[in-house]
mmCIF file of all heavy atoms in Angstrom:
data_model
loop_
_atom_site.group_PDB
_atom_site.id
_atom_site.type_symbol
_atom_site.label_atom_id
_atom_site.label_comp_id
_atom_site.label_asym_id
_atom_site.label_seq_id
_atom_site.Cartn_x
_atom_site.Cartn_y
_atom_site.Cartn_z
ATOM 1 N N GLU A 1 49.028 -19.636 7.648
ATOM 2 C CA GLU A 1 49.300 -20.741 8.571
ATOM 3 C C GLU A 1 50.291 -20.281 9.644
ATOM 4 O O GLU A 1 51.320 -19.680 9.333
ATOM 5 C CB GLU A 1 49.874 -21.935 7.809
ATOM 6 C CG GLU A 1 50.154 -23.134 8.687
ATOM 7 C CD GLU A 1 50.803 -24.285 7.946
ATOM 8 O OE1 GLU A 1 51.167 -24.098 6.768
ATOM 9 O OE2 GLU A 1 50.966 -25.364 8.544
ATOM 10 N N HIS A 2 49.994 -20.584 10.904
ATOM 11 C CA HIS A 2 50.874 -20.204 12.011
ATOM 12 C C HIS A 2 51.538 -21.470 12.546
ATOM 13 O O HIS A 2 50.864 -22.372 13.054
ATOM 14 C CB HIS A 2 50.064 -19.515 13.115
ATOM 15 C CG HIS A 2 50.909 -18.794 14.108
ATOM 16 N ND1 HIS A 2 50.400 -18.169 15.226
ATOM 17 C CD2 HIS A 2 52.253 -18.593 14.157
ATOM 18 C CE1 HIS A 2 51.382 -17.619 15.904
ATOM 19 N NE2 HIS A 2 52.513 -17.860 15.282
ATOM 20 N N ILE A 3 52.861 -21.542 12.453
ATOM 21 C CA ILE A 3 53.616 -22.744 12.795
ATOM 22 C C ILE A 3 54.417 -22.488 14.057
ATOM 23 O O ILE A 3 55.243 -21.570 14.099
ATOM 24 C CB ILE A 3 54.556 -23.148 11.647
ATOM 25 C CG1 ILE A 3 53.755 -23.325 10.359
ATOM 26 C CG2 ILE A 3 55.319 -24.416 11.994
ATOM 27 C CD1 ILE A 3 54.617 -23.526 9.133
ATOM 28 N N PRO A 4 54.220 -23.295 15.125
ATOM 29 C CA PRO A 4 54.984 -23.095 16.362
ATOM 30 C C PRO A 4 56.329 -23.821 16.327
ATOM 31 O O PRO A 4 56.441 -24.916 15.760
ATOM 32 C CB PRO A 4 54.065 -23.710 17.426
ATOM 33 C CG PRO A 4 53.335 -24.805 16.697
ATOM 34 C CD PRO A 4 53.173 -24.318 15.277
ATOM 35 N N ALA A 5 57.336 -23.221 16.929
ATOM 36 C CA ALA A 5 58.642 -23.865 17.065
ATOM 37 C C ALA A 5 58.666 -24.646 18.373
ATOM 38 O O ALA A 5 58.247 -24.134 19.404
ATOM 39 C CB ALA A 5 59.753 -22.819 17.056
ATOM 40 N N TYR A 6 59.180 -25.885 18.321
ATOM 41 C CA TYR A 6 59.194 -26.721 19.523
ATOM 42 C C TYR A 6 60.599 -26.932 20.082
ATOM 43 O O TYR A 6 60.792 -27.771 20.950
ATOM 44 C CB TYR A 6 58.541 -28.073 19.219
ATOM 45 C CG TYR A 6 57.031 -27.990 19.252
ATOM 46 C CD1 TYR A 6 56.304 -27.783 18.096
ATOM 47 C CD2 TYR A 6 56.338 -28.078 20.451
ATOM 48 C CE1 TYR A 6 54.930 -27.678 18.125
ATOM 49 C CE2 TYR A 6 54.962 -27.975 20.497
ATOM 50 C CZ TYR A 6 54.266 -27.775 19.331
ATOM 51 O OH TYR A 6 52.893 -27.670 19.366
ATOM 52 N N SER A 7 61.555 -26.193 19.593
ATOM 53 C CA SER A 7 62.896 -26.273 20.186
ATOM 54 C C SER A 7 63.679 -25.028 19.806
ATOM 55 O O SER A 7 63.417 -24.407 18.769
ATOM 56 C CB SER A 7 63.640 -27.510 19.674
ATOM 57 O OG SER A 7 64.024 -27.334 18.323
ATOM 58 N N PRO A 8 64.649 -24.636 20.626
ATOM 59 C CA PRO A 8 65.498 -23.502 20.254
ATOM 60 C C PRO A 8 66.223 -23.758 18.939
ATOM 61 O O PRO A 8 66.459 -22.842 18.161
ATOM 62 C CB PRO A 8 66.477 -23.397 21.430
ATOM 63 C CG PRO A 8 65.780 -24.059 22.573
ATOM 64 C CD PRO A 8 64.972 -25.167 21.956
ATOM 65 N N GLU A 9 66.582 -25.037 18.687
ATOM 66 C CA GLU A 9 67.277 -25.375 17.453
ATOM 67 C C GLU A 9 66.395 -25.111 16.243
ATOM 68 O O GLU A 9 66.857 -24.663 15.192
ATOM 69 C CB GLU A 9 67.707 -26.843 17.462
ATOM 70 C CG GLU A 9 68.781 -27.180 18.482
ATOM 71 C CD GLU A 9 68.222 -27.338 19.893
ATOM 72 O OE1 GLU A 9 66.983 -27.306 20.053
ATOM 73 O OE2 GLU A 9 69.024 -27.490 20.831
ATOM 74 N N ALA A 10 65.094 -25.383 16.396
ATOM 75 C CA ALA A 10 64.169 -25.170 15.280
ATOM 76 C C ALA A 10 64.076 -23.696 14.943
ATOM 77 O O ALA A 10 64.113 -23.298 13.780
ATOM 78 C CB ALA A 10 62.782 -25.726 15.626
ATOM 79 N N ARG A 11 63.976 -22.847 15.995
ATOM 80 C CA ARG A 11 63.908 -21.414 15.740
ATOM 81 C C ARG A 11 65.228 -20.900 15.202
ATOM 82 O O ARG A 11 65.267 -19.940 14.449
ATOM 83 C CB ARG A 11 63.530 -20.672 17.023
ATOM 84 C CG ARG A 11 62.074 -20.852 17.389
ATOM 85 C CD ARG A 11 61.710 -20.021 18.583
ATOM 86 N NE ARG A 11 62.225 -20.579 19.819
ATOM 87 C CZ ARG A 11 62.951 -19.914 20.699
ATOM 88 N NH1 ARG A 11 63.259 -18.661 20.477
ATOM 89 N NH2 ARG A 11 63.369 -20.488 21.803
ATOM 90 N N GLY A 12 66.331 -21.550 15.591
ATOM 91 C CA GLY A 12 67.637 -21.128 15.109
ATOM 92 C C GLY A 12 67.893 -21.461 13.665
ATOM 93 O O GLY A 12 68.896 -21.061 13.097
ATOM 94 N N ARG A 13 66.975 -22.184 13.033
ATOM 95 C CA ARG A 13 67.110 -22.541 11.628
ATOM 96 C C ARG A 13 67.295 -21.314 10.741
ATOM 97 O O ARG A 13 67.984 -21.344 9.747
ATOM 98 C CB ARG A 13 65.864 -23.328 11.188
ATOM 99 C CG ARG A 13 65.613 -23.384 9.684
ATOM 100 C CD ARG A 13 66.726 -24.143 8.976
ATOM 101 N NE ARG A 13 66.521 -24.094 7.539
ATOM 102 C CZ ARG A 13 66.892 -23.083 6.783
ATOM 103 N NH1 ARG A 13 67.474 -22.022 7.333
ATOM 104 N NH2 ARG A 13 66.707 -23.108 5.486
ATOM 105 N N ARG A 14 66.694 -20.206 11.142
ATOM 106 C CA ARG A 14 66.748 -19.023 10.291
ATOM 107 C C ARG A 14 68.078 -18.307 10.397
ATOM 108 O O ARG A 14 68.376 -17.421 9.626
ATOM 109 C CB ARG A 14 65.630 -18.052 10.656
ATOM 110 C CG ARG A 14 65.794 -17.451 12.035
ATOM 111 C CD ARG A 14 64.537 -16.721 12.470
ATOM 112 N NE ARG A 14 64.699 -16.058 13.737
ATOM 113 C CZ ARG A 14 64.729 -16.689 14.905
ATOM 114 N NH1 ARG A 14 64.600 -17.990 14.937
ATOM 115 N NH2 ARG A 14 64.875 -16.026 16.026
ATOM 116 N N GLY A 15 68.898 -18.662 11.398
ATOM 117 C CA GLY A 15 70.145 -17.947 11.609
ATOM 118 C C GLY A 15 71.240 -18.415 10.671
ATOM 119 O O GLY A 15 71.125 -19.403 9.952
ATOM 120 N N GLY A 16 72.348 -17.726 10.709
ATOM 121 C CA GLY A 16 73.493 -18.116 9.907
ATOM 122 C C GLY A 16 73.405 -17.578 8.486
ATOM 123 O O GLY A 16 72.343 -17.292 7.973
ATOM 124 N N ARG A 17 74.550 -17.485 7.858
ATOM 125 C CA ARG A 17 74.584 -16.997 6.483
ATOM 126 C C ARG A 17 74.444 -18.184 5.560
ATOM 127 O O ARG A 17 75.249 -19.102 5.570
ATOM 128 C CB ARG A 17 75.890 -16.245 6.216
ATOM 129 C CG ARG A 17 76.039 -14.998 7.057
ATOM 130 C CD ARG A 17 77.318 -14.276 6.700
ATOM 131 N NE ARG A 17 77.360 -13.892 5.304
ATOM 132 C CZ ARG A 17 76.809 -12.790 4.821
ATOM 133 N NH1 ARG A 17 76.135 -11.997 5.620
ATOM 134 N NH2 ARG A 17 76.893 -12.485 3.548
ATOM 135 N N GLN A 18 73.436 -18.154 4.733
ATOM 136 C CA GLN A 18 73.191 -19.234 3.804
ATOM 137 C C GLN A 18 72.970 -18.645 2.425
ATOM 138 O O GLN A 18 72.672 -17.463 2.266
ATOM 139 C CB GLN A 18 71.973 -20.060 4.224
ATOM 140 C CG GLN A 18 72.167 -20.668 5.605
ATOM 141 C CD GLN A 18 71.026 -21.572 5.952
ATOM 142 O OE1 GLN A 18 70.288 -22.006 5.097
ATOM 143 N NE2 GLN A 18 70.886 -21.876 7.217
ATOM 144 N N LYS A 19 73.063 -19.496 1.435
ATOM 145 C CA LYS A 19 72.916 -19.029 0.064
ATOM 146 C C LYS A 19 71.506 -18.529 -0.168
ATOM 147 O O LYS A 19 70.553 -19.276 0.008
ATOM 148 C CB LYS A 19 73.227 -20.174 -0.896
ATOM 149 C CG LYS A 19 73.163 -19.750 -2.362
ATOM 150 C CD LYS A 19 73.500 -20.912 -3.257
ATOM 151 C CE LYS A 19 73.403 -20.494 -4.736
ATOM 152 N NZ LYS A 19 73.710 -21.627 -5.634
ATOM 153 N N PRO A 20 71.317 -17.273 -0.567
ATOM 154 C CA PRO A 20 69.965 -16.759 -0.791
ATOM 155 C C PRO A 20 69.374 -17.329 -2.064
ATOM 156 O O PRO A 20 70.079 -17.879 -2.908
ATOM 157 C CB PRO A 20 70.183 -15.246 -0.911
ATOM 158 C CG PRO A 20 71.580 -15.128 -1.440
ATOM 159 C CD PRO A 20 72.359 -16.253 -0.825
ATOM 160 N N ALA A 21 68.063 -17.183 -2.202
ATOM 161 C CA ALA A 21 67.404 -17.650 -3.411
ATOM 162 C C ALA A 21 67.910 -16.866 -4.603
ATOM 163 O O ALA A 21 68.263 -15.693 -4.513
ATOM 164 C CB ALA A 21 65.892 -17.480 -3.276
ATOM 165 N N ASP A 22 67.980 -17.504 -5.759
ATOM 166 C CA ASP A 22 68.484 -16.897 -6.974
ATOM 167 C C ASP A 22 67.488 -15.865 -7.490
ATOM 168 O O ASP A 22 66.366 -16.219 -7.870
ATOM 169 C CB ASP A 22 68.693 -17.996 -8.019
ATOM 170 C CG ASP A 22 69.271 -17.445 -9.315
ATOM 171 O OD1 ASP A 22 69.531 -16.226 -9.378
ATOM 172 O OD2 ASP A 22 69.450 -18.236 -10.258
ATOM 173 N N PRO A 23 67.830 -14.593 -7.534
ATOM 174 C CA PRO A 23 66.872 -13.576 -7.980
ATOM 175 C C PRO A 23 66.480 -13.739 -9.435
ATOM 176 O O PRO A 23 65.474 -13.226 -9.875
ATOM 177 C CB PRO A 23 67.609 -12.250 -7.733
ATOM 178 C CG PRO A 23 69.047 -12.610 -7.723
ATOM 179 C CD PRO A 23 69.120 -13.993 -7.151
ATOM 180 N N GLY A 24 67.291 -14.465 -10.223
ATOM 181 C CA GLY A 24 66.956 -14.673 -11.620
ATOM 182 C C GLY A 24 66.050 -15.855 -11.859
ATOM 183 O O GLY A 24 65.586 -16.077 -12.977
ATOM 184 N N ARG A 25 65.808 -16.628 -10.814
ATOM 185 C CA ARG A 25 64.966 -17.811 -10.963
ATOM 186 C C ARG A 25 63.503 -17.423 -10.847
ATOM 187 O O ARG A 25 63.111 -16.733 -9.918
ATOM 188 C CB ARG A 25 65.325 -18.820 -9.867
ATOM 189 C CG ARG A 25 64.440 -20.047 -9.833
ATOM 190 C CD ARG A 25 65.070 -21.047 -8.887
ATOM 191 N NE ARG A 25 64.114 -22.095 -8.557
ATOM 192 C CZ ARG A 25 63.504 -22.177 -7.390
ATOM 193 N NH1 ARG A 25 63.734 -21.276 -6.468
ATOM 194 N NH2 ARG A 25 62.657 -23.164 -7.136
ATOM 195 N N PRO A 26 62.653 -17.843 -11.772
ATOM 196 C CA PRO A 26 61.235 -17.471 -11.698
ATOM 197 C C PRO A 26 60.630 -17.898 -10.381
ATOM 198 O O PRO A 26 60.828 -19.011 -9.922
ATOM 199 C CB PRO A 26 60.605 -18.248 -12.866
ATOM 200 C CG PRO A 26 61.739 -18.492 -13.818
ATOM 201 C CD PRO A 26 62.951 -18.664 -12.953
ATOM 202 N N GLY A 27 59.896 -16.973 -9.763
ATOM 203 C CA GLY A 27 59.182 -17.321 -8.545
ATOM 204 C C GLY A 27 59.927 -17.028 -7.270
ATOM 205 O O GLY A 27 59.398 -17.208 -6.195
ATOM 206 N N THR A 28 61.202 -16.574 -7.344
ATOM 207 C CA THR A 28 61.920 -16.345 -6.104
ATOM 208 C C THR A 28 61.661 -14.962 -5.526
ATOM 209 O O THR A 28 61.850 -14.759 -4.346
ATOM 210 C CB THR A 28 63.446 -16.501 -6.316
ATOM 211 O OG1 THR A 28 63.863 -15.623 -7.351
ATOM 212 C CG2 THR A 28 63.773 -17.933 -6.697
#
C-alpha cells in the first residue's frame, strides 16, 4: 500500500526520538 502525506507535519511524524518497539515482544 502506498500512502501519501498531505502535510509537512504528517511526514514529520517519523522524526524525533521515541520509544522503539520492544525486541522481546513477539512480532516486533
Side-chain angles (χ1 to χ4, degrees):
E1 181 184 8
H2 195 184
I3 304 172
Y6 280 95
S7 72
E9 293 79 6
R11 286 185 285 127
R13 161 65 184 83
R14 67 192 184 286
R17 296 182 59 84
Q18 300 185 18
K19 183 179 179 181
D22 182 2
R25 175 170 166 254
T28 56

